[in-house]
Amino acid sequence: MSNEKQSSLKKIMAIRGMGAAITAFIGLIVIYVAFGLINPAVFSGQNIMNLLRSMSKYLLIGIAQSYILITGNIDLSIGSMVGMSAMVAATLMSRGVHPIAAIVVALLCCLVCGVINGFLVGKFKLPPFIATLGTMFITRGVAYMVNGNRNTDAIATGIGKEAGDSFQNIFYYGSTLGVYNTFWIALLFFVIFFFLLSKTRTGRHIYAIGSNIDAAKLSGVNVVATTTKAYLVSAVCSCVVGLILCAQAGMGNMEAGNMYEMYGVAAGVIGGVSPLGGTGLLLGTFAGAAVWQTLENGLNMIGAQVGIQRVVIGVIVVAAVLLDVVVRGGQFKKKKGN
């Protein structure tokens, strides 16, 4: 029985990225306990619930960016898609459009951006930095123009207080089984996209492209379709975060989602998703998002200045990437030695 357990443990640890994910979870526990010892309020039930709700945005953005990073690319348009989603949905609702219709329109706008990104990178071979930089400016421009270069009125002014409260409760303020709905929404998308990445052929193709795109082509992988699917996942998650921010504020803000593309990189990289492509697990992204939010929450509760919070998180991101480069360098040298 003991040998069977050891064999199962070896199989789990042999999964690429599992070690980094477990390390991130261990780091999460250490960080959380350390902050709790400094300020016991960190352990309070309400703080835990608030932490889970705030973490949800980083988890969704982390999933969005992780899919792209695993293919060996990057998506700089994520934050602007978040802003576009929030502004499109809020503008429509503030003008009396039913919330469901507003959500559908916001989703379609983000999906169009995802398809454009996928084709620019996958079919036309544009560097992902340049392609998504362009769509970043375009989607942020749409966010500005959709309501005449100003933030929207409260959504309740258009759809009424009851419908407005319902929308806000579903995406932000409401709770189910004592946990904010925002977390349940993020968890649902995590489960769906975790399954897609780890248990389907599309997931295997995403890893194949990131590991060696030429070998993937020779193996029959449709690079354009797979790359586009990854960017569509990014678009869907970005749209949902935009709806969450819209519900949180009760209106649309043109600057919503600013810098979120970098938050997504941080959540993924801290959890062991390699920016070099081909490696990483969404389990690690979950841990990375939790580490990010726990650091932000803990530093805030012990009275650290915002600048210090950003420096600490920045150092951790750089250290995580440096570790990935060192580990990969060792793997490559080992292969050459063989």
Side-chain angles (χ1 to χ4, degrees):
M1 185 68 180
S2 178
N3 290 334
E4 289 180 3
K5 288 183 177 179
Q6 288 182 355
S7 177
S8 298
L9 183 60
K10 285 182 179 179
K11 288 181 180 179
I12 293 173
M13 293 304 298
I15 299 173
R16 287 167 59 181
M18 182 60 73
I22 292 174
T23 301
F25 274 111
I26 294 172
L28 169 64
I29 294 171
V30 171
I31 291 168
Y32 181 70
V33 171
F35 281 128
L37 293 176
I38 297 173
N39 185 351
V42 171
F43 293 138
S44 70
Q46 186 57 49
N47 184 62
I48 293 174
M49 292 303 101
N50 289 334
L51 195 153
L52 289 175
R53 179 170 62 177
S54 298
M55 182 200 87
S56 300
K57 294 178 288 188
Y58 297 138
L59 174 58
L60 286 165
I61 290 300
I63 293 170
Q65 196 67 273
S66 293
Y67 260 74
I68 306 303
L69 291 175
I70 291 172
T71 64
N73 298 308
I74 193 168
D75 189 352
L76 298 181
S77 66
I78 285 175
S80 294
M81 275 195 287
V82 169
M84 179 176 68
S85 169
M87 282 297 294
V88 168
T91 298
L92 291 173
M93 285 188 282
S94 67
R95 296 179 182 178
V97 176
H98 193 280
I100 293 178
I103 291 170
V104 170
V105 174
L107 178 60
L108 287 174
C109 290
C110 291
L111 290 177
V112 168
C113 183
V115 170
I116 292 172
N117 283 335
F119 271 79
L120 289 177
V121 175
K123 185 174 181 61
F124 297 105
K125 306 297 186 296
L126 262 68
F129 185 92
I130 300 301
T132 60
L133 180 65
T135 51
M136 177 186 79
F137 284 113
I138 293 170
T139 48
R140 184 61 69 180
V142 172
Y144 272 83
M145 291 188 299
V146 70
N147 196 49
N149 290 299
R150 62 184 181 86
N151 295 333
T152 73
D153 297 327
I155 60 175
T157 61
I159 59 176
K161 187 177 186 305
E162 185 177 347
D165 288 346
S166 178
F167 173 80
Q168 289 185 273
N169 286 333
I170 290 172
F171 283 98
Y172 195 77
Y173 292 103
S175 62
T176 302
L177 300 177
V179 179
Y180 286 115
N181 292 333
T182 313
F183 177 74
W184 293 121
I185 291 170
L187 186 62
L188 174 63
F189 278 93
F190 170 79
V191 171
I192 292 171
F193 290 128
F194 177 85
F195 177 82
L196 178 65
L197 189 62
S198 61
K199 301 296 183 180
T200 67
R201 184 170 61 179
T202 295
R204 291 192 294 273
H205 289 178
I206 286 173
Y207 280 107
I209 290 174
S211 297
N212 189 321
I213 191 169
D214 292 326
K217 289 178 180 178
L218 292 174
S219 300
V221 174
N222 188 326
V223 173
V224 177
T226 304
T227 302
T228 302
K229 288 176 184 177
Y231 276 105
L232 284 174
V233 169
S234 179
V236 170
C237 291
S238 300
C239 178
V240 175
V241 175
L243 297 174
I244 290 172
L245 295 182
C246 176
Q248 180 181 359
M251 58 177 286
N253 187 323
M254 294 185 295
E255 298 299 330
N258 189 30
M259 288 294 293
Y260 269 46
E261 60 276 357
M262 295 298 104
Y263 298 165
V265 171
V269 167
I270 290 173
V273 176
S274 174
L276 302 177
T279 302
L281 300 173
L282 287 193
L283 196 63
T285 301
F286 190 104
V291 167
W292 174 284
Q293 183 54 43
T294 301
L295 278 170
E296 195 173 73
N297 176 264
L299 289 169
N300 184 56
M301 293 195 72
I302 65 174
Q305 296 178 352
V306 175
I308 294 176
Q309 296 177 27
R310 292 292 177 261
V311 168
V312 170
I313 294 172
V315 169
I316 291 175
V317 171
V318 172
V321 176
L322 181 60
L323 179 62
D324 176 61
V325 171
V326 171
V327 170
R328 284 201 171 209
Q331 290 177 343
F332 295 151
K333 287 178 181 177
K334 187 176 180 180
K335 287 180 181 179
K336 290 179 180 179
N338 293 336

